[in-house]
Amino acid sequence: MRRILVPLLLILIIGSGLISSASPYNQLKIIGSAWILAPAVTQTETGYAGSATNISVFITEGWGDVYVSTYSLTQEDFQGAATAATRVISNVLGVDFNKYNFYFKVQSDAVIVGGPSAGVAMAVVVYSALTGKPINRSIAVTGMISPDGTVGPVGGVYEKAQAMASSGVKVFLVPPGESVVTTYKVVVHKVGPFQVYSTQPVRINLTEYALKNWNLRVVEVSTIEDALHYFFNYNITPNSITIPYVSSSARSKIDMIWQALEQTASLELYNAKAYVNQSTLTSFTKSALVNYLNTYAQPYIQTARQNPHDIGTIPLLTSSIAISRWIKLLVDYSLNKNIDTQVSSTRENISKLILTIQNTYPRNFQELNYLVIAGDLAIRASRLFNDSAKLWSQDPQTALQNLAYATALVDEAKHWINGLPVGATLDARQSASTYLSIARSTWPYVYSVLSQTGYSSTSLDLSSTYYSASVSLYGSGYYVLASIAAARSIALAESSMLDFQGRAVGSPVYLEVSSTRAQTILSSTADLISGIYFYNQSRYATTDADKLAYLKLASELASLTLDLAKGAKITASPPKPVEEKPQTSIQPTPQTPPQGQGSLWDKISSWLHDLYLKTVLYIDNIYRFLKKLIGR
């Protein structure tokens, strides 16, 4: 006991010094303190062994700073894990993270302490310090804490369980899928007069083994709420999930946009085919281009028609429009036509859209949702345009594809904000500051963890891009767009983490948790269109990575919309207004998933089609060059 209390007493002394040295008019009120034993793994001469790490936290009033002091060295992701833990508990308790300072003290026998595996333990100790509730010392936990509060996989679970059992722990909480582990048995071989040590993998059902040999109960937990239930008898209130309510007026807006984009997509497809067939390209090239339209642009329209007026199919129609425009641009490029006008027009339209969104003030909650969707589309269009410029010298075909998608996104955004009043600016500075702060700690933490595993993700790369965009927009005073870019950065970083965790444990638990959380938010308020827009898109994705991205976007953009409404004092409607019948907004599983999306084979097939198309265009260019050369 004396050994455990020493770090805490040191913190109290240091904390008192900090407070007493401050101005008497700026003293920081002490909120609470707590400590917990977290399992760790240390390397010995004969292999790995479990050990205990003492983690204590001291909380004062403050401004959202997280400090970590250690007696051992810590890995670079420890700071990120501590920040994630404090933010997660702040969300659970409904308190403002930015009104507290958190001082962590870590003491361990291990030379280096890793951050991720102690994430859930840090969250538990923060909960105890903020609430004053004592930690149940017969419980221990290991697990990485994700920014959304889910529990992620860690290593050395067998060794950690053994160490905790030796410390008198009766219940050991582990991440999903890690109650069955692989450990390594040390085997001694005699070679002449020498003894040679080697290890052999052994598969163990830790739930059965620990109970039988150590009288230790091993339990899997998926979320921080599950862990808090064991440590504090925390009551997990069942989520109230109903079909999200969409009013008739919002439904009319969605139907209008769906019909307009469906007509545009059909017309663009018809014009693209005609444009190809009327060109001077070779018959072989024309056939390849038309085949590409039939393979990708046409199925998007067909899927949308099979699921009429579903908000989730609106992006499919936009994608169809983009593909048709891309094919036309490829024809122009192959025939050496000048496309400077298209580039200049796209740049100008994106700039005008951003200015319009900046100067639009929604009159009600519905219009705020439309503004958020349009803002997200504008940010994506801007990114694609910038990427197009970067790719032009290396890959002009892909650059043109990005350009075409940017134009389609701008057109969809215009539909969403059509009719909204222009001339005033929504006060979103506080929301932008909050979301930017969360993004600043979220994507670097996720990156630092995943980079050590060899995991790579387009979503994680884009998370960094959107974070940078948020910083730039915030500095320019575009606070609405800055908050949207930050929310997108957070969502993509979190989805990358969950995708990695799901692959590591081989379980759909993170997909289920993400879906439940998204539905809970969407059913809390009527007309949360910004969230439903992405939730319904998740139903058209066939890979977990894509589904997770859409589900996290649904949660983050819906939450942001509610925060913006609160800051602007825009009243959100109750989830079920009595004067109207509920409108189904979350659609059933799509009848036909769009071709070219989702599965690994679909992605490979899409890549092969793109490669084939580029090859055909290259051959066509050579053919026309030789024909011209011979003609000379």
Side-chain angles (χ1 to χ4, degrees):
M1 179 61 71
R2 180 181 176 185
R3 179 185 177 189
I4 294 172
L5 289 177
V6 168
L8 180 58
L9 291 174
L10 286 174
I11 289 178
L12 290 174
I13 294 171
I14 294 172
S16 299
L18 286 172
I19 295 172
S20 62
S21 63
S23 167
Y25 301 104
N26 295 301
Q27 291 186 0
L28 299 179
K29 179 182 177 181
I30 299 174
I31 303 301
S33 61
W35 63 269
I36 190 172
L37 284 181
V41 175
T42 185
Q43 189 169 7
T44 67
E45 293 182 355
T46 58
Y48 289 97
S51 62
T53 297
N54 178 264
I55 300 176
S56 52
V57 68
F58 179 68
I59 303 176
T60 68
E61 290 180 336
W63 41 85
D65 277 355
V66 178
Y67 304 91
V68 178
S69 176
T70 67
Y71 283 160
S72 303
L73 298 176
T74 58
Q75 294 177 355
E76 61 181 5
D77 45 26
F78 202 100
Q79 178 71 47
T83 303
T86 54
R87 286 192 180 277
V88 165
I89 294 302
S90 295
N91 290 335
V92 169
L93 294 175
V95 300
D96 188 350
F97 164 84
N98 294 298
K99 292 184 178 179
Y100 300 96
N101 283 347
F102 304 85
Y103 306 85
F104 285 93
K105 188 72 176 181
V106 182
Q107 185 181 28
S108 175
D109 293 333
V111 176
I112 299 178
V113 179
S117 65
V120 178
M122 285 191 283
V124 169
V125 77
V126 169
Y127 182 90
S128 175
L130 283 175
T131 62
K133 296 181 179 179
I135 295 174
N136 186 338
R137 303 296 175 189
S138 67
I139 313 290
V141 63
T142 185
M144 178 171 57
I145 190 71
S146 294
D148 69 340
T150 51
V151 178
V154 295
V157 174
Y158 174 86
E159 291 80 8
K160 292 174 181 178
Q162 187 176 32
M164 290 298 96
S166 300
S167 300
V169 169
K170 300 302 180 183
V171 179
F172 187 45
L173 310 179
V174 301
E178 296 208 64
S179 58
V180 177
V181 298
T182 298
T183 187
Y184 293 88
K185 179 181 178 181
V186 178
V187 179
V188 182
H189 300 278
K190 192 169 180 64
V191 180
F194 301 98
Q195 288 185 332
V196 179
Y197 293 88
S198 63
T199 57
Q200 294 181 350
V202 179
R203 193 74 169 165
I204 294 177
N205 184 320
L206 196 56
T207 303
E208 299 175 357
Y209 184 90
L211 187 62
K212 179 181 178 180
N213 294 276
W214 306 327
N215 194 30
L216 177 69
R217 182 183 168 204
V218 175
V219 180
E220 293 185 4
V221 290
S222 303
T223 66
I224 186 60
E225 290 87 355
D226 295 338
L228 295 177
H229 171 71
Y230 284 93
F231 277 99
F232 305 100
N233 197 28
Y234 178 85
N235 293 323
I236 303 176
T237 305
N239 293 318
S240 177
I241 299 177
T242 60
I243 295 177
Y245 181 91
V246 177
S247 64
S248 57
S249 56
R251 175 64 60 183
S252 296
K253 177 76 171 183
I254 295 170
D255 289 347
M256 180 195 70
I257 295 173
W258 189 96
Q259 291 171 3
L261 291 176
E262 191 275 337
Q263 292 175 6
T264 301
S266 299
L267 182 61
E268 289 279 2
L269 178 60
Y270 175 83
N271 289 338
K273 289 182 178 180
Y275 198 72
V276 170
N277 290 324
Q278 292 169 9
S279 71
T280 58
L281 297 172
T282 63
S283 298
F284 178 69
T285 305
K286 291 178 182 179
S287 176
L289 293 174
V290 171
N291 179 64
Y292 194 93
L293 288 168
N294 290 332
T295 303
Y296 294 100
Q298 182 68 44
Y300 281 130
I301 298 175
Q302 292 173 343
T303 302
R305 288 173 177 168
Q306 291 170 353
N307 302 272
H309 310 294
D310 175 8
I311 191 174
T313 62
I314 287 178
L316 299 182
L317 295 170
T318 300
S319 294
S320 179
I321 293 169
I323 293 171
S324 295
R325 291 178 179 175
W326 179 44
I327 296 299
K328 293 172 68 177
L329 285 173
L330 284 177
V331 172
D332 289 343
Y333 175 75
S334 298
L335 296 177
N336 295 319
K337 292 185 179 180
N338 194 313
I339 60 172
D340 291 354
T341 302
Q342 292 97 316
V343 173
S344 298
S345 175
T346 304
R347 181 193 301 110
E348 183 179 350
N349 286 335
I350 293 174
S351 298
K352 287 182 178 178
L353 177 62
I354 289 175
L355 286 174
T356 300
I357 292 172
Q358 171 68 14
N359 296 316
T360 296
Y361 192 93
R363 294 164 293 192
N364 52 54
F365 189 66
Q366 287 181 22
E367 291 185 347
L368 177 59
N369 277 266
Y370 307 152
L371 183 66
V372 169
I373 294 175
D376 183 69
L377 292 167
I379 291 168
R380 291 165 57 199
S382 179
R383 178 190 67 80
L384 287 170
F385 183 84
N386 291 334
D387 286 351
S388 181
K390 295 175 183 177
L391 287 170
W392 181 253
S393 59
Q394 301 174 356
D395 188 355
Q397 287 87 357
T398 301
L400 291 174
Q401 186 179 44
N402 287 344
L403 184 67
Y405 266 89
T407 66
L409 292 174
V410 168
D411 287 353
E412 183 190 335
K414 289 179 179 178
H415 284 296
W416 284 108
I417 59 174
N418 183 39
L420 271 62
V422 178
T425 301
L426 185 69
D427 184 8
R429 182 166 187 169
Q430 182 58 52
S431 294
S433 177
T434 299
Y435 277 80
L436 185 57
S437 175
I438 297 172
R440 184 182 293 114
S441 64
T442 300
W443 87 258
Y445 169 56
V446 174
Y447 174 79
S448 68
V449 172
L450 298 188
S451 62
Q452 299 177 44
T453 68
Y455 173 90
S456 61
S457 166
T458 301
S459 293
L460 188 56
D461 293 338
L462 289 176
S463 174
S464 173
T465 300
Y466 287 116
Y467 168 72
S468 298
S470 178
V471 173
S472 178
L473 290 164
Y474 187 90
S476 300
Y478 293 169
Y479 300 124
V480 173
L481 290 168
S483 62
I484 295 172
R488 176 169 274 272
S489 173
I490 296 166
L492 294 179
E494 289 182 346
S495 69
S496 298
M497 177 76 90
L498 296 180
D499 179 49
F500 163 75
Q501 293 175 186
R503 295 186 187 190
V505 303
S507 170
V509 62
Y510 299 109
L511 194 61
E512 296 167 0
V513 170
S514 297
S515 179
T516 299
R517 291 191 171 182
Q519 291 182 64
T520 301
I521 296 172
L522 299 182
S523 60
S524 66
T525 305
D527 291 336
L528 253 177
I529 310 300
S530 59
I532 298 173
Y533 177 84
F534 289 103
Y535 184 91
N536 280 18
Q537 286 184 63
S538 73
R539 305 185 72 84
Y540 294 90
T542 56
T543 66
D544 286 353
D546 290 340
K547 289 179 181 178
L548 284 168
Y550 286 128
L551 290 172
K552 296 309 299 181
L553 284 166
S555 295
E556 292 298 335
L557 270 297
S559 297
L560 171 62
T561 304
L562 292 171
D563 289 340
L564 289 172
K566 183 179 180 181
K569 297 182 180 179
I570 296 175
T571 303
S573 303
K576 290 184 179 181
V578 296
E579 67 272 12
E580 297 183 25
K581 293 182 179 180
Q583 302 279 341
T584 301
S585 55
I586 290 184
Q587 302 290 331
T589 302
Q591 297 178 25
T592 306
Q595 187 172 350
Q597 282 217 20
S599 69
L600 178 61
W601 170 246
D602 287 334
K603 293 184 181 296
I604 294 175
S605 177
S606 176
W607 177 80
L608 290 174
H609 270 85
D610 288 347
L611 180 62
Y612 170 69
L613 197 60
K614 293 177 181 179
T615 304
V616 168
L617 291 170
Y618 178 73
I619 294 174
D620 187 87
N621 286 334
I622 294 176
Y623 170 79
R624 286 185 291 105
F625 172 75
L626 292 175
K627 185 177 180 181
K628 184 183 297 184
L629 188 64
I630 293 172
R632 288 178 181 175

